[in-house]
Amino acid sequence: MLILLDQDGVLADFERGFHDGWNARGDVPCPALPLAARQSFYVRDDYPSENRDVVEGIYTAPGFFRDLPPMPGAIEAVAALLAQGHDVRICTSPLNQWRHCVTEKYEWVERHLGTDFVHRMIVTKDKTVVYGDVLVDDKPAVTGTRQPVWQHVIFDQPYNRHVAGPRMTWASWQAVLPQLARRC
Amino acid sequence: MLILLDQDGVLADFERGFHDGWNARGDVPCPALPLAARQSFYVRDDYPSENRDVVEGIYTAPGFFRDLPPMPGAIEAVAALLAQGHDVRICTSPLNQWRHCVTEKYEWVERHLGTDFVHRMIVTKDKTVVYGDVLVDDKPAVTGTRQPVWQHVIFDQPYNRHVAGPRMTWASWQAVLPQLARRC
């Protein structure tokens, strides 16, 4: 099975990185929202609009993407998927503010998944033009210019609970992905 | 028609950049090969193996990819393809030495095709997992893990003349691509 894995929010813990980055600043107007209170896919939409520059300043800063911690269990799960014979790729969209983000996504993969895994990266704003059997992604609706061939498996996050369909975390993937594999 | 355009050797003039970069160094053991004498897709294979570090040093240097000149006619042709209603994307593979190359590919596109065109970039080592009607690429054989759905249109360069199939340059594309579009 060709499994496309989104990077941020699935492999890399964007939420923790943002939360810690926000609280580490001395000049923020309020404490960071706890993860359970996050309702919008775009973190900037969960903070008052007058804080938008502060919010964007955190995740566009040099080092933000490079230094994100892995999601708990993610690295081990990728190794297990490969060991099961699946073809695993990372399918990730850069920020519109791509200047640090793109290279740092590569640095993150090299650091946590190894030099060779970098060759498995697909960086694209439009994931619908990429072939795969499944796309594991925390974005509630992954849209683009085409009808995708992959099935979207929601990576569970508080801000996507309203979406129906297959859903997993790195604690539950073994009950979800093998069932889909049997259909492919 | 969804047209995938390779970046280096198709939109960006890698050969000129390398040629000029080589000749600008004071310590190279011989003049740069003229373009007509280039026989291998990988420029390093056209120079003696003892010069490999010098060859790689040129195209892995900071600024090399960012500062490549556009291929003559490329920017105008992209605008014309868009004006004809085609969906045009850049489908590009980073070097194994990706540290400068990835970000600089984005910088190049921003500079020469505009901020919005950056959203049309697809960066992947394996182009066979990308959907498209055609892939315009100077690489003699574009292979990967899948049977691609796109048709490979060779972008004419001296090092790919042994390959059969549709072939174009930015001087001849108008006689080649519309014929393929009628089949899609």
Side-chain angles (χ1 to χ4, degrees):
Chain A
M1 186 161 71
L2 178 48
I3 299 172
L4 308 174
L5 300 177
D6 178 36
Q7 188 162 346
D8 300 308
V10 173
L11 294 172
D13 199 342
F14 182 98
E15 293 298 320
R16 175 165 293 278
F18 182 82
H19 187 277
D20 293 352
W22 179 275
N23 285 342
R25 283 183 63 138
D27 60 346
V28 287
C30 56
L33 283 173
L35 178 58
R38 288 270 291 109
Q39 295 187 313
S40 304
F41 174 71
Y42 294 109
V43 62
R44 62 174 181 261
D45 295 336
D46 272 353
Y47 285 79
S49 57
E50 60 264 31
N51 300 138
R52 183 156 177 165
D53 286 351
V54 183
V55 171
E56 291 192 344
I58 289 171
Y59 58 71
T60 58
F64 176 82
F65 283 92
R66 184 187 61 225
D67 294 336
L68 291 178
M71 293 288 283
I75 304 304
E76 298 79 2
V78 170
L81 287 166
L82 291 173
Q84 289 178 11
H86 297 297
D87 188 354
V88 180
R89 316 286 178 107
I90 294 173
C91 188
T92 183
S93 292
L95 294 180
N96 289 343
Q97 305 99 325
W98 47 263
R99 214 155 294 272
H100 305 298
C101 156
V102 170
T103 291
E104 292 189 10
K105 283 174 177 284
Y106 279 73
E107 292 176 350
W108 190 95
V109 171
E110 181 180 62
R111 179 190 298 182
H112 294 289
L113 292 163
T115 301
D116 287 347
F117 212 92
V118 167
H119 301 326
R120 295 174 179 268
M121 294 183 70
I122 306 163
V123 183
T124 175
K125 274 287 195 191
D126 182 354
K127 298 183 183 182
T128 68
V129 298
V130 181
Y131 179 83
D133 295 303
V134 299
L135 169 69
V136 180
D137 204 306
D138 62 315
K139 194 172 186 179
V142 183
T143 55
T145 52
R146 290 184 54 79
Q147 183 69 29
V149 297
W150 36 255
Q151 179 173 11
H152 183 186
V153 176
I154 302 285
F155 190 87
D156 184 65
Q157 291 279 15
Y159 45 78
N160 62 34
R161 298 261 160 81
H162 59 290
V163 180
R167 174 178 295 271
M168 59 168 262
T169 66
W170 294 123
S172 70
W173 68 271
Q174 287 170 305
V176 179
L177 290 182
Q179 288 187 28
L180 299 174
R182 280 193 285 274
R183 293 187 214 157
C184 296
Chain B
M1 187 161 69
L2 177 48
I3 300 172
L4 308 174
L5 300 177
D6 178 37
Q7 187 163 347
D8 301 306
V10 173
L11 294 171
D13 199 341
F14 181 99
E15 292 298 321
R16 175 164 293 280
F18 181 84
H19 187 278
D20 293 351
W22 179 275
N23 284 343
R25 285 182 63 137
D27 60 347
V28 288
C30 56
L33 284 172
L35 178 58
R38 289 268 294 106
Q39 295 188 313
S40 304
F41 174 70
Y42 294 109
V43 64
R44 61 175 181 260
D45 295 336
D46 273 351
Y47 285 79
S49 58
E50 61 264 30
N51 300 139
R52 184 155 175 166
D53 286 351
V54 182
V55 171
E56 291 192 345
I58 289 171
Y59 58 69
T60 58
F64 176 82
F65 282 93
R66 183 187 61 226
D67 294 336
L68 291 177
M71 294 286 286
I75 305 304
E76 299 78 2
V78 170
L81 286 167
L82 290 172
Q84 289 177 11
H86 296 297
D87 188 354
V88 181
R89 314 287 178 107
I90 294 173
C91 190
T92 182
S93 292
L95 293 181
N96 289 343
Q97 305 99 323
W98 47 264
R99 215 155 294 275
H100 305 297
C101 155
V102 171
T103 292
E104 293 188 9
K105 281 174 178 285
Y106 279 74
E107 292 176 351
W108 190 95
V109 171
E110 182 180 62
R111 180 191 296 181
H112 294 288
L113 292 163
T115 301
D116 288 348
F117 211 91
V118 168
H119 302 326
R120 294 175 179 268
M121 293 181 71
I122 305 164
V123 183
T124 176
K125 273 285 193 191
D126 182 354
K127 299 183 182 183
T128 67
V129 299
V130 180
Y131 180 82
D133 294 303
V134 300
L135 169 68
V136 180
D137 205 306
D138 62 316
K139 194 172 185 178
V142 183
T143 55
T145 55
R146 289 183 55 78
Q147 183 67 29
V149 296
W150 36 255
Q151 178 172 13
H152 182 185
V153 176
I154 302 283
F155 190 87
D156 184 64
Q157 292 279 14
Y159 46 78
N160 62 32
R161 298 260 161 82
H162 58 290
V163 180
R167 174 177 295 270
M168 58 168 263
T169 65
W170 294 124
S172 69
W173 69 271
Q174 288 171 305
V176 179
L177 291 181
Q179 289 186 27
L180 300 173
R182 279 194 284 275
R183 293 187 214 160
C184 298

